[in-house]
Amino acid sequence: MQAWLSKFIHRKRRRVCVSLVRTYREISSASPDELWQKVVDLADVSWHPLLKSTNVPYGLVPKPGLIYQAVTRLSPIPIRIFVESVNPRELLTVRVLAIPGIEERVTYQLESTVCGTCLSYSVTLRGWLSPLIWSFSRPYSDRVARALVDAVEKAGLPAGS
């Protein structure tokens, strides 16, 4: 009887861990420096389809360990964002600390190619709530890379065009 009970309790302690990973890539005619400036400007999220505003002062350069707050377009509740790593002109990784039960990591990566500048936007969701959160955020996540490239290219156009 004790063996059965201990197996039952052991099964109850297992956690369901679901992981979702999506990567979106876009090619831009803008220079890598222009794209990088838009990615690291944490105060200007006007181009982002999911974020509405942040509490980051203009001109602040993101460094590992920086924690700031952002408000999403879906709810007025602020979320915390933690900058994990920064490799200048190449990579920015942030972790979104929204609610317990979900871990979200977002990575922006830039590569210079023959065709232009390649922007990779990766989203990794972990936790038992990830399927539910993904169902709400996927339509927005699908548009982030394209919106960033469009914002940079639109800003780079001459005034006469």
Side-chain angles (χ1 to χ4, degrees):
M1 181 72 174
Q2 265 188 335
W4 178 81
L5 185 59
S6 67
K7 284 182 184 178
F8 180 74
I9 292 171
H10 182 68
R11 284 186 192 151
K12 288 287 189 179
R13 289 187 184 171
R14 287 187 203 164
R15 290 187 178 181
V16 176
C17 187
V18 178
S19 181
L20 296 168
V21 178
R22 293 278 194 250
T23 300
Y24 303 96
R25 294 176 192 258
E26 290 290 335
I27 300 289
S28 173
S29 60
S31 73
D33 290 336
E34 291 172 333
L35 271 170
W36 181 252
Q37 287 304 318
K38 190 60 110 173
V39 167
V40 297
D41 187 5
L42 302 176
D44 177 26
V45 290
S46 60
W47 57 269
H48 202 288
L50 192 56
L51 297 179
K52 189 174 181 182
S53 64
T54 65
N55 69 343
V56 177
Y58 286 104
L60 182 68
V61 177
K63 293 183 179 173
L66 174 68
I67 297 176
Y68 63 97
Q69 288 186 346
V71 177
T72 66
R73 297 183 194 277
L74 301 176
S75 74
I77 301 168
I79 59 172
R80 293 171 52 152
I81 300 175
F82 173 73
V83 178
E84 280 189 340
S85 64
V86 179
N87 191 358
R89 292 184 175 83
E90 286 182 25
L91 179 81
L92 173 67
T93 303
V94 296
R95 185 174 299 212
V96 179
L97 310 168
I99 51 177
I102 188 83
E103 174 188 321
E104 181 177 3
R105 179 178 288 156
V106 176
T107 303
Y108 297 92
Q109 186 172 4
L110 295 173
E111 297 175 38
S112 186
T113 64
V114 175
C115 301
T117 304
C118 178
L119 170 71
S120 297
Y121 172 75
S122 298
V123 179
T124 305
L125 289 173
R126 286 191 184 141
W128 62 277
L129 280 175
S130 59
L132 178 67
I133 299 298
W134 183 247
S135 67
F136 289 116
S137 66
R138 182 176 181 173
Y140 299 98
S141 297
D142 290 346
R143 300 188 317 230
V144 170
R146 184 75 246 163
L148 176 61
V149 167
D150 287 345
V152 171
E153 289 177 352
K154 193 184 294 184
L157 288 176
S161 323

